Coordinates of all heavy atoms in Angstrom, one line a residue:
M1 N 55.0 29.1 141.4 CA 56.0 29.1 142.4 C 57.2 29.5 141.8 O 57.6 29.2 140.6 CB 56.2 27.7 143.1 CG 57.3 27.7 144.0 SD 57.9 26.2 144.7 CE 56.6 25.3 145.2
S2 N 58.0 30.4 142.5 CA 59.3 30.9 141.9 C 60.3 30.9 143.0 O 60.0 31.1 144.2 CB 59.0 32.4 141.5 OG 60.2 32.9 140.8
L3 N 61.5 30.7 142.6 CA 62.7 30.6 143.5 C 63.8 31.6 143.0 O 64.0 31.6 141.8 CB 63.2 29.2 143.6 CG 64.6 29.0 144.4 CD1 64.2 29.2 145.9 CD2 65.0 27.6 144.2
I4 N 64.4 32.4 143.9 CA 65.4 33.3 143.5 C 66.6 33.1 144.3 O 66.5 32.9 145.6 CB 64.9 34.7 143.7 CG1 63.7 35.0 142.7 CG2 66.0 35.7 143.3 CD1 63.1 36.4 142.9
K5 N 67.8 33.0 143.7 CA 69.1 32.8 144.4 C 70.1 33.9 143.9 O 70.0 34.3 142.7 CB 69.7 31.5 144.1 CG 68.9 30.3 144.7 CD 69.6 29.0 144.4 CE 68.8 27.8 145.0 NZ 69.4 26.5 144.8
L6 N 70.9 34.4 144.8 CA 71.9 35.4 144.5 C 73.3 34.8 144.5 O 73.6 34.0 145.4 CB 71.8 36.6 145.4 CG 70.6 37.4 145.4 CD1 70.6 38.4 146.6 CD2 70.4 38.2 144.1
Y7 N 74.2 35.2 143.5 CA 75.6 34.7 143.6 C 76.4 35.9 143.2 O 76.1 36.8 142.4 CB 75.8 33.7 142.4 CG 74.9 32.4 142.6 CD1 73.7 32.3 141.9 CD2 75.4 31.4 143.4 CE1 73.0 31.2 142.0 CE2 74.6 30.2 143.5 CZ 73.4 30.2 142.8 OH 72.5 29.0 143.0
Q8 N 77.6 36.0 144.0 CA 78.6 37.0 143.6 C 80.0 36.3 143.8 O 80.3 35.8 144.8 CB 78.5 38.2 144.5 CG 79.6 39.2 144.1 CD 79.5 40.5 144.9 OE1 78.7 40.7 145.8 NE2 80.1 41.6 144.3
K9 N 80.7 36.3 142.7 CA 82.0 35.8 142.6 C 83.0 36.7 143.4 O 82.9 38.0 143.2 CB 82.4 35.4 141.3 CG 81.7 34.5 140.5 CD 82.2 34.2 139.1 CE 81.3 33.2 138.4 NZ 81.6 33.1 137.0
K10 N 83.9 36.2 144.1 CA 84.9 37.0 144.8 C 85.7 37.8 143.8 O 86.0 37.4 142.8 CB 85.8 36.1 145.7 CG 85.1 35.5 146.8 CD 86.1 34.8 147.7 CE 85.3 34.2 148.9 NZ 86.2 33.6 149.9
K11 N 85.9 39.1 144.2 CA 86.7 40.0 143.3 C 86.1 40.2 142.0 O 86.7 40.4 141.0 CB 88.2 39.6 143.2 CG 88.9 39.5 144.5 CD 90.3 39.1 144.3 CE 91.0 39.0 145.6 NZ 92.4 38.6 145.5
S12 N 84.8 40.2 141.9 CA 84.1 40.4 140.7 C 83.1 41.7 140.9 O 82.6 41.9 142.0 CB 83.3 39.2 140.3 OG 82.4 39.5 139.2
N13 N 83.0 42.4 139.9 CA 81.9 43.6 140.0 C 80.6 43.1 139.4 O 79.8 44.0 139.0 CB 82.5 44.7 139.3 CG 82.6 44.5 137.8 OD1 82.6 43.5 137.3 ND2 82.6 45.6 137.0
R14 N 80.3 41.8 139.4 CA 79.0 41.3 138.9 C 78.3 40.5 139.9 O 78.9 39.8 140.7 CB 79.3 40.4 137.6 CG 80.1 41.1 136.5 CD 79.2 42.1 135.8 NE 80.0 42.8 134.8 CZ 79.6 43.1 133.6 NH1 78.4 42.6 133.2 NH2 80.4 43.7 132.8
I15 N 77.0 40.6 139.9 CA 76.2 39.8 140.7 C 75.3 39.0 139.8 O 74.7 39.6 138.9 CB 75.3 40.6 141.7 CG1 76.2 41.4 142.7 CG2 74.3 39.7 142.4 CD1 75.4 42.4 143.5
E16 N 75.1 37.7 140.0 CA 74.1 36.9 139.2 C 72.9 36.5 140.1 O 73.1 36.1 141.2 CB 74.7 35.6 138.7 CG 75.7 35.9 137.5 CD 76.2 34.7 136.9 OE1 75.9 33.6 137.4 OE2 76.8 34.9 135.8
V17 N 71.8 36.7 139.5 CA 70.5 36.4 140.2 C 69.9 35.3 139.3 O 69.6 35.5 138.1 CB 69.5 37.6 140.3 CG1 68.2 37.2 140.9 CG2 70.2 38.7 141.0
L18 N 69.7 34.2 140.0 CA 69.1 33.0 139.3 C 67.5 32.9 139.7 O 67.3 32.9 141.0 CB 69.8 31.7 139.6 CG 69.1 30.4 139.2 CD1 69.0 30.4 137.6 CD2 69.8 29.2 139.7
Q19 N 66.7 33.0 138.8 CA 65.2 32.9 139.1 C 64.7 31.6 138.4 O 64.9 31.4 137.1 CB 64.5 34.1 138.6 CG 62.9 34.1 138.9 CD 62.3 35.2 138.3 OE1 62.6 35.8 137.2 NE2 61.3 35.7 139.1
T20 N 64.0 30.7 139.1 CA 63.4 29.6 138.5 C 61.9 29.6 138.9 O 61.6 30.1 140.0 CB 64.1 28.3 138.9 OG1 64.1 28.2 140.3 CG2 65.5 28.2 138.4
G21 N 61.1 29.0 138.1 CA 59.7 28.9 138.6 C 59.0 27.8 137.7 O 59.4 27.3 136.7
K22 N 57.7 27.4 138.3 CA 56.9 26.4 137.7 C 55.5 27.0 137.7 O 55.0 27.5 138.8 CB 57.0 25.1 138.4 CG 56.2 24.0 137.8 CD 56.2 22.8 138.6 CE 57.3 22.0 138.0 NZ 57.4 20.6 138.6
S23 N 54.7 26.8 136.7 CA 53.3 27.2 136.7 C 52.4 26.1 136.1 O 52.8 25.4 135.2 CB 53.2 28.5 135.7 OG 53.9 29.5 136.2
V24 N 51.2 26.0 136.7 CA 50.3 25.0 136.2 C 48.9 25.8 136.2 O 48.6 26.4 137.2 CB 50.3 23.7 137.0 CG1 49.1 22.8 136.6 CG2 51.6 23.1 137.1
D25 N 48.2 25.6 135.2 CA 46.8 26.2 135.1 C 45.9 25.2 134.5 O 46.2 24.7 133.5 CB 46.9 27.5 134.3 CG 45.7 28.4 134.5 OD1 44.5 27.8 134.4 OD2 45.8 29.5 134.8
Y26 N 44.8 25.0 135.1 CA 43.8 24.0 134.6 C 43.1 24.4 133.3 O 42.6 23.6 132.6 CB 42.6 23.8 135.7 CG 41.8 24.9 135.8 CD1 40.6 25.1 135.0 CD2 42.0 26.0 136.7 CE1 39.7 26.1 135.0 CE2 41.2 27.0 136.8 CZ 40.0 27.1 135.9 OH 39.2 28.2 136.1
R27 N 43.2 25.7 133.0 CA 42.6 26.1 131.8 C 43.3 25.8 130.5 O 44.5 25.6 130.5 CB 42.4 27.7 131.8 CG 41.5 28.2 132.9 CD 41.5 29.6 133.1 NE 42.8 30.1 133.7 CZ 43.0 31.4 134.0 NH1 42.2 32.3 133.8 NH2 44.2 31.6 134.6
T28 N 42.5 25.7 129.4 CA 43.2 25.4 128.0 C 43.6 26.8 127.5 O 43.3 27.8 128.1 CB 42.1 24.8 127.1 OG1 41.0 25.7 126.9 CG2 41.5 23.5 127.7
V29 N 44.2 26.7 126.4 CA 44.6 28.0 125.7 C 43.4 28.9 125.4 O 43.4 30.0 125.7 CB 45.4 27.8 124.4 CG1 45.7 29.0 123.6 CG2 46.7 27.1 124.8
E30 N 42.4 28.3 124.9 CA 41.2 29.0 124.6 C 40.6 29.7 125.8 O 40.2 30.9 125.8 CB 40.0 28.2 123.9 CG 40.6 27.6 122.5 CD 41.4 26.4 122.6 OE1 41.5 25.8 123.7 OE2 42.0 26.0 121.6
E31 N 40.6 28.9 126.9 CA 40.0 29.5 128.1 C 40.9 30.6 128.8 O 40.3 31.5 129.3 CB 39.8 28.4 129.2 CG 38.8 27.4 128.8 CD 38.8 26.1 129.6 OE1 39.8 25.8 130.2 OE2 37.8 25.4 129.6
L32 N 42.2 30.5 128.6 CA 43.1 31.6 129.0 C 42.8 32.9 128.4 O 42.9 34.0 128.9 CB 44.6 31.2 128.8 CG 45.1 30.1 129.8 CD1 46.4 29.7 129.3 CD2 45.2 30.8 131.2
F33 N 42.5 32.9 127.1 CA 42.2 34.1 126.3 C 40.7 34.6 126.3 O 40.4 35.6 125.7 CB 42.6 33.9 124.9 CG 44.2 34.0 124.7 CD1 44.9 32.8 124.6 CD2 44.9 35.2 124.8 CE1 46.3 32.8 124.4 CE2 46.3 35.2 124.7 CZ 47.0 34.0 124.6
D34 N 39.9 33.8 127.0 CA 38.5 34.2 127.1 C 38.4 35.1 128.3 O 38.3 34.7 129.5 CB 37.6 32.9 127.3 CG 36.2 33.2 127.5 OD1 35.7 34.4 127.4 OD2 35.4 32.3 127.5
S35 N 38.2 36.4 128.1 CA 38.2 37.5 129.1 C 36.9 37.4 130.0 O 36.8 37.9 131.1 CB 38.3 38.9 128.5 OG 37.3 39.2 127.7
G36 N 35.9 36.7 129.4 CA 34.7 36.5 130.1 C 34.7 35.3 131.1 O 33.8 35.2 131.9
R37 N 35.7 34.6 131.1 CA 35.8 33.4 132.0 C 36.5 33.6 133.3 O 37.6 34.2 133.2 CB 36.5 32.2 131.2 CG 36.5 31.0 131.9 CD 37.2 29.8 131.1 NE 37.2 28.6 131.9 CZ 36.4 27.6 131.8 NH1 35.4 27.7 131.0 NH2 36.6 26.5 132.6
E38 N 35.9 33.4 134.4 CA 36.5 33.6 135.6 C 37.3 32.4 136.1 O 37.1 31.3 135.7 CB 35.3 33.7 136.7 CG 34.5 34.9 136.5 CD 35.1 36.2 136.9 OE1 36.0 36.2 137.9 OE2 34.9 37.3 136.2
Y39 N 38.4 32.7 136.7 CA 39.3 31.7 137.3 C 38.7 31.0 138.5 O 38.1 31.6 139.3 CB 40.6 32.3 137.7 CG 41.7 31.3 138.3 CD1 42.3 30.5 137.4 CD2 41.8 31.2 139.6 CE1 43.2 29.5 137.9 CE2 42.7 30.2 140.1 CZ 43.3 29.4 139.2 OH 44.3 28.5 139.8
N40 N 38.7 29.7 138.5 CA 38.1 28.9 139.5 C 39.1 28.1 140.2 O 39.6 27.1 139.7 CB 37.0 28.0 139.0 CG 36.3 27.2 140.0 OD1 36.7 27.2 141.2 ND2 35.3 26.4 139.6
P41 N 39.6 28.5 141.4 CA 40.7 27.8 142.1 C 40.4 26.4 142.6 O 41.3 25.6 142.8 CB 41.0 28.7 143.3 CG 39.8 29.6 143.5 CD 39.1 29.7 142.1
S42 N 39.2 26.0 142.5 CA 38.8 24.6 142.9 C 38.8 23.7 141.8 O 38.6 22.5 141.9 CB 37.4 24.7 143.6 OG 36.4 25.0 142.7
E43 N 39.0 24.2 140.5 CA 39.1 23.2 139.4 C 40.3 22.3 139.5 O 41.3 22.7 140.0 CB 39.2 24.0 138.0 CG 37.9 24.7 137.7 CD 36.9 23.7 137.0 OE1 37.3 22.6 136.5 OE2 35.7 24.1 137.1
T44 N 40.3 21.2 138.8 CA 41.4 20.3 138.9 C 42.2 20.2 137.5 O 41.6 20.6 136.5 CB 40.9 18.8 139.2 OG1 40.0 18.4 138.1 CG2 40.3 18.7 140.5
I45 N 43.4 19.9 137.6 CA 44.3 19.8 136.4 C 43.8 18.6 135.5 O 43.5 17.6 136.1 CB 45.8 19.6 136.8 CG1 46.3 20.7 137.8 CG2 46.7 19.5 135.7 CD1 46.1 22.1 137.2
H46 N 43.9 18.8 134.2 CA 43.5 17.7 133.4 C 44.5 17.6 132.2 O 45.5 18.4 132.1 CB 42.0 17.9 132.8 CG 41.8 19.3 132.3 ND1 42.2 19.7 131.0 CD2 41.3 20.4 132.8 CE1 41.9 20.9 130.8 NE2 41.3 21.4 131.9
S47 N 44.2 16.8 131.2 CA 45.2 16.5 130.2 C 45.5 17.7 129.2 O 46.4 17.7 128.5 CB 44.7 15.3 129.3 OG 43.4 15.6 128.7
K48 N 44.5 18.7 129.1 CA 44.8 19.8 128.4 C 45.0 21.1 129.1 O 45.1 22.1 128.6 CB 43.4 20.2 127.5 CG 43.1 19.1 126.5 CD 41.9 19.4 125.6 CE 41.6 18.3 124.7 NZ 40.5 18.7 123.8
S49 N 45.5 20.8 130.4 CA 46.0 22.0 131.2 C 47.3 22.5 130.7 O 48.0 21.8 130.1 CB 46.1 21.6 132.6 OG 44.8 21.2 133.1
L50 N 47.6 23.7 131.1 CA 48.9 24.4 130.7 C 49.9 24.1 131.9 O 49.6 24.2 133.1 CB 48.7 25.9 130.6 CG 49.9 26.7 130.3 CD1 49.6 27.8 129.3 CD2 50.5 27.2 131.6
A51 N 51.1 23.7 131.5 CA 52.2 23.6 132.5 C 53.4 24.3 131.9 O 53.7 24.2 130.7 CB 52.5 22.1 132.7
A52 N 54.1 25.1 132.7 CA 55.2 25.8 132.2 C 56.4 25.8 133.3 O 56.2 25.9 134.5 CB 54.8 27.3 131.9
N53 N 57.6 25.9 132.7 CA 58.8 26.0 133.6 C 59.6 27.2 133.0 O 59.6 27.4 131.8 CB 59.7 24.8 133.6 CG 59.0 23.6 134.2 OD1 58.6 23.7 135.4 ND2 58.9 22.6 133.5
H54 N 60.3 27.9 133.9 CA 61.1 29.0 133.4 C 62.3 29.1 134.3 O 62.4 28.8 135.5 CB 60.4 30.4 133.4 CG 60.2 31.0 134.6 ND1 59.3 30.8 135.5 CD2 61.0 31.9 135.3 CE1 59.4 31.5 136.6 NE2 60.5 32.2 136.6
S55 N 63.5 29.6 133.7 CA 64.7 29.9 134.5 C 65.3 31.1 133.8 O 65.2 31.3 132.6 CB 65.6 28.8 134.6 OG 66.2 28.5 133.3
A56 N 65.8 32.0 134.6 CA 66.5 33.3 134.1 C 67.7 33.5 134.9 O 67.6 33.4 136.2 CB 65.5 34.4 134.1
I57 N 68.8 34.0 134.3 CA 69.9 34.5 135.0 C 70.0 36.0 134.6 O 70.1 36.3 133.4 CB 71.2 33.8 134.6 CG1 71.0 32.3 134.9 CG2 72.5 34.3 135.2 CD1 72.2 31.4 134.4
Y58 N 70.0 36.8 135.7 CA 70.2 38.3 135.5 C 71.6 38.6 136.0 O 71.9 38.3 137.2 CB 69.1 39.0 136.3 CG 67.7 38.6 136.1 CD1 67.1 37.6 136.7 CD2 67.1 39.3 135.0 CE1 65.8 37.3 136.5 CE2 65.7 38.9 134.7 CZ 65.1 38.0 135.5 OH 63.8 37.7 135.2
T59 N 72.4 39.1 135.2 CA 73.7 39.6 135.6 C 73.7 41.1 135.8 O 73.3 41.9 134.9 CB 74.8 39.2 134.5 OG1 74.8 37.9 134.2 CG2 76.1 39.6 135.0
L60 N 74.0 41.5 137.0 CA 73.9 42.9 137.5 C 75.3 43.4 137.8 O 76.2 42.7 138.2 CB 73.1 43.0 138.7 CG 71.7 42.3 138.7 CD1 71.1 42.5 140.1 CD2 70.8 42.9 137.7
N61 N 75.5 44.7 137.6 CA 76.7 45.4 138.0 C 76.6 45.6 139.5 O 75.6 46.1 140.0 CB 76.8 46.8 137.4 CG 77.9 47.6 137.8 OD1 78.3 47.7 138.9 ND2 78.6 48.2 136.7
A62 N 77.6 45.1 140.2 CA 77.6 45.1 141.7 C 77.5 46.5 142.3 O 77.1 46.7 143.5 CB 78.7 44.3 142.3
E63 N 78.0 47.5 141.6 CA 78.2 48.9 142.1 C 76.8 49.6 142.1 O 76.4 50.3 143.0 CB 79.2 49.6 141.3 CG 80.6 49.1 141.6 CD 81.7 49.8 140.8 OE1 81.4 50.9 140.2 OE2 82.7 49.4 140.6
D64 N 76.2 49.5 140.9 CA 74.8 50.2 140.8 C 73.6 49.4 140.5 O 72.6 49.9 140.4 CB 75.0 51.3 139.8 CG 75.2 50.7 138.3 OD1 75.2 49.5 138.1 OD2 75.4 51.6 137.4
F65 N 73.8 48.1 140.5 CA 72.8 47.1 140.3 C 72.1 47.2 138.8 O 70.9 46.8 138.7 CB 71.7 47.1 141.4 CG 72.3 46.8 142.7 CD1 72.5 47.8 143.6 CD2 72.6 45.4 143.0 CE1 73.0 47.5 144.9 CE2 73.2 45.2 144.3 CZ 73.4 46.2 145.2
S66 N 72.7 47.8 137.9 CA 72.2 47.9 136.6 C 72.3 46.6 135.9 O 73.2 45.8 136.1 CB 72.9 49.0 135.8 OG 74.3 48.7 135.6
V67 N 71.3 46.3 135.1 CA 71.2 45.0 134.5 C 72.2 45.0 133.3 O 72.2 45.9 132.4 CB 69.8 44.8 133.9 CG1 69.8 43.4 133.1 CG2 68.8 44.6 135.1
Q68 N 73.1 44.0 133.3 CA 74.1 43.9 132.2 C 73.7 42.8 131.2 O 74.0 42.9 130.0 CB 75.5 43.6 132.8 CG 76.0 44.6 133.8 CD 76.2 46.0 133.2 OE1 76.8 46.1 132.2 NE2 75.5 46.9 133.7
K69 N 73.1 41.8 131.6 CA 72.7 40.7 130.7 C 71.5 39.9 131.4 O 71.4 39.8 132.6 CB 73.9 39.7 130.7 CG 73.8 38.6 129.7 CD 75.1 37.8 129.6 CE 75.0 36.6 128.7 NZ 76.3 35.9 128.7
V70 N 70.7 39.4 130.5 CA 69.5 38.5 130.9 C 69.6 37.3 129.9 O 69.6 37.4 128.7 CB 68.2 39.2 130.8 CG1 67.1 38.2 131.2 CG2 68.1 40.5 131.6
K71 N 69.6 36.1 130.5 CA 69.4 34.9 129.7 C 68.2 34.1 130.3 O 68.2 33.8 131.5 CB 70.7 34.0 129.8 CG 70.5 32.8 128.8 CD 71.8 32.0 128.7 CE 71.6 30.8 127.8 NZ 72.8 30.1 127.6
A72 N 67.3 33.8 129.5 CA 66.0 33.2 130.1 C 65.6 32.0 129.1 O 65.8 32.0 127.9 CB 65.0 34.1 130.1
E73 N 65.1 31.0 129.8 CA 64.6 29.8 129.1 C 63.2 29.5 129.6 O 62.9 29.6 130.8 CB 65.5 28.6 129.4 CG 66.9 28.8 128.8 CD 67.8 27.6 129.2 OE1 67.3 26.6 129.7 OE2 69.0 27.8 128.8
F74 N 62.3 29.2 128.7 CA 60.9 28.9 129.0 C 60.5 27.6 128.3 O 60.8 27.4 127.2 CB 60.0 30.0 128.4 CG 60.2 31.3 129.0 CD1 61.2 32.2 128.4 CD2 59.7 31.8 130.2 CE1 61.4 33.5 128.9 CE2 59.9 33.0 130.7 CZ 60.8 33.8 130.0
D75 N 59.8 26.7 129.0 CA 59.2 25.6 128.4 C 57.8 25.6 128.8 O 57.4 25.7 129.9 CB 59.9 24.3 129.1 CG 61.4 24.2 128.8 OD1 61.8 24.3 127.6 OD2 62.1 24.0 129.8
V76 N 56.9 25.3 127.7 CA 55.5 25.3 127.9 C 54.9 24.0 127.3 O 55.3 23.6 126.3 CB 54.9 26.5 127.2 CG1 53.4 26.5 127.3 CG2 55.4 27.8 127.7
Q77 N 54.0 23.4 128.1 CA 53.3 22.2 127.5 C 51.8 22.4 127.8 O 51.4 22.7 128.9 CB 53.8 20.9 128.2 CG 53.2 19.7 127.7 CD 53.7 18.4 128.4 OE1 54.5 18.5 129.3 NE2 53.2 17.3 128.0
I78 N 51.1 22.2 126.7 CA 49.6 22.2 126.6 C 49.2 21.0 125.9 O 49.4 20.9 124.7 CB 49.0 23.4 126.1 CG1 49.6 24.7 126.8 CG2 47.5 23.5 126.2 CD1 49.4 26.0 126.0
A79 N 48.6 20.0 126.6 CA 48.3 18.7 126.0 C 49.4 18.1 125.2 O 50.5 17.9 125.8 CB 47.0 18.9 125.0
D80 N 49.3 17.9 123.9 CA 50.5 17.3 123.1 C 51.4 18.4 122.6 O 52.3 18.1 121.9 CB 50.0 16.5 122.0 CG 49.2 15.3 122.5 OD1 49.5 14.8 123.5 OD2 48.2 14.9 121.7
Y81 N 51.1 19.7 122.8 CA 51.9 20.8 122.3 C 53.0 21.1 123.3 O 52.8 21.3 124.4 CB 51.1 22.0 121.9 CG 51.8 23.2 121.6 CD1 52.2 23.4 120.3 CD2 52.1 24.2 122.5 CE1 52.9 24.5 119.9 CE2 52.8 25.3 122.1 CZ 53.2 25.5 120.8 OH 53.9 26.6 120.4
E82 N 54.3 21.2 122.8 CA 55.4 21.6 123.6 C 56.2 22.6 122.9 O 56.4 22.5 121.7 CB 56.3 20.3 124.0 CG 55.7 19.4 124.8 CD 56.5 18.3 125.3 OE1 57.8 18.5 125.4 OE2 56.1 17.2 125.5
K83 N 56.6 23.6 123.6 CA 57.4 24.7 123.0 C 58.5 25.1 124.0 O 58.2 25.3 125.2 CB 56.5 25.9 122.7 CG 57.2 27.1 122.1 CD 57.4 26.9 120.6 CE 57.9 28.2 120.0 NZ 58.1 28.1 118.7
S84 N 59.7 25.3 123.5 CA 60.8 25.8 124.3 C 61.3 27.1 123.7 O 61.5 27.1 122.5 CB 61.9 24.8 124.4 OG 61.5 23.6 125.1
I85 N 61.6 28.1 124.5 CA 62.1 29.4 124.0 C 63.2 29.8 124.9 O 63.2 29.7 126.1 CB 61.0 30.4 124.2 CG1 59.7 30.0 123.3 CG2 61.4 31.9 123.7 CD1 58.5 30.9 123.6
T86 N 64.3 30.2 124.1 CA 65.5 30.8 124.9 C 65.8 32.1 124.3 O 65.7 32.2 123.1 CB 66.7 29.8 124.7 OG1 66.3 28.6 125.2 CG2 67.9 30.3 125.4
F87 N 66.1 33.1 125.2 CA 66.5 34.4 124.7 C 67.6 34.9 125.5 O 67.7 34.5 126.7 CB 65.4 35.3 124.4 CG 64.9 36.0 125.7 CD1 65.4 37.1 126.2 CD2 63.7 35.4 126.3 CE1 64.9 37.7 127.4 CE2 63.2 35.9 127.4 CZ 63.8 37.0 128.0
E88 N 68.4 35.8 124.9 CA 69.5 36.5 125.7 C 69.6 37.8 125.3 O 69.5 38.1 124.1 CB 70.8 35.7 125.4 CG 72.0 36.0 126.3 CD 73.1 35.0 126.1 OE1 72.9 33.8 125.7 OE2 74.2 35.5 126.3
L89 N 69.7 38.8 126.2 CA 69.9 40.2 126.0 C 71.1 40.6 126.7 O 71.3 40.2 127.9 CB 68.7 41.0 126.5 CG 67.3 40.6 126.0 CD1 66.3 41.4 126.8 CD2 67.2 41.1 124.5
E90 N 72.0 41.5 126.1 CA 73.2 41.9 126.7 C 73.4 43.4 126.5 O 73.2 43.9 125.3 CB 74.3 41.1 126.2 CG 75.7 41.4 127.0 CD 76.7 40.4 126.7 OE1 76.5 39.4 125.9 OE2 77.8 40.5 127.3
K91 N 73.7 44.1 127.5 CA 74.1 45.5 127.4 C 75.3 45.7 126.7 O 76.4 45.1 127.0 CB 74.1 46.2 128.8 CG 74.2 47.7 128.7 CD 74.2 48.2 130.1 CE 74.3 49.7 130.2 NZ 74.1 50.2 131.5
L92 N 75.4 46.5 125.6 CA 76.6 46.6 124.8 C 77.4 47.8 125.2 O 78.7 47.8 125.0 CB 76.3 46.6 123.3 CG 75.6 45.4 122.8 CD1 75.3 45.6 121.3 CD2 76.4 44.2 122.9
A93 N 76.9 48.8 125.7 CA 77.6 50.1 126.0 C 77.0 50.8 127.2 O 75.8 50.7 127.5 CB 77.7 51.0 124.9
G94 N 77.8 51.6 127.9 CA 77.4 52.4 129.0 C 77.2 51.8 130.2 O 76.8 51.9 131.2

């Protein structure tokens, strides 16, 4: 599931797009990478299932909608393993 919201500050030439989402998959990491395994929508979530959250802010130029900046955060949990990743990209010229 994903949610998108748009924001524009008054008298600004920037638009911010906020995207958030949550994913859950019953498969383990090994099963996700097994190309021979078919996805079964009737399977139930268990203790080794994958769960993930993400959020990203996209900063756009309001005149031409070109991307000026992206900041994203990802959180992944698979059984006892947890990983958080944050990255930021910014347009420097042009």
Side-chain angles (χ1 to χ4, degrees):
M1 179 194 303
S2 190
L3 174 67
I4 297 176
K5 294 182 180 181
L6 296 172
Y7 301 95
Q8 182 173 15
K9 295 179 182 174
K10 290 186 178 185
K11 298 183 180 180
S12 173
N13 68 338
R14 305 288 173 133
I15 297 171
E16 286 190 348
V17 179
L18 171 64
Q19 179 184 37
T20 59
K22 179 184 271 192
S23 300
V24 177
D25 196 308
Y26 71 88
R27 295 173 288 183
T28 64
V29 173
E30 295 81 13
E31 292 169 341
L32 285 169
F33 287 101
D34 181 358
S35 61
R37 185 178 175 94
E38 294 288 326
Y39 180 77
N40 182 353
S42 64
E43 286 284 337
T44 58
I45 303 301
H46 52 80
S47 64
K48 293 185 180 181
S49 298
L50 178 141
N53 294 303
H54 78 274
S55 66
I57 299 173
Y58 305 90
T59 304
L60 310 175
N61 180 313
E63 294 177 13
D64 64 5
F65 299 105
S66 61
V67 177
Q68 303 298 305
K69 184 176 179 180
V70 177
K71 182 174 183 179
E73 298 178 3
F74 300 92
D75 297 310
V76 178
Q77 181 177 3
I78 305 167
D80 294 335
Y81 174 81
E82 291 185 32
K83 179 82 173 182
S84 293
I85 302 167
T86 301
F87 74 88
E88 193 168 333
L89 302 170
E90 188 167 358
K91 185 176 182 178
L92 298 177

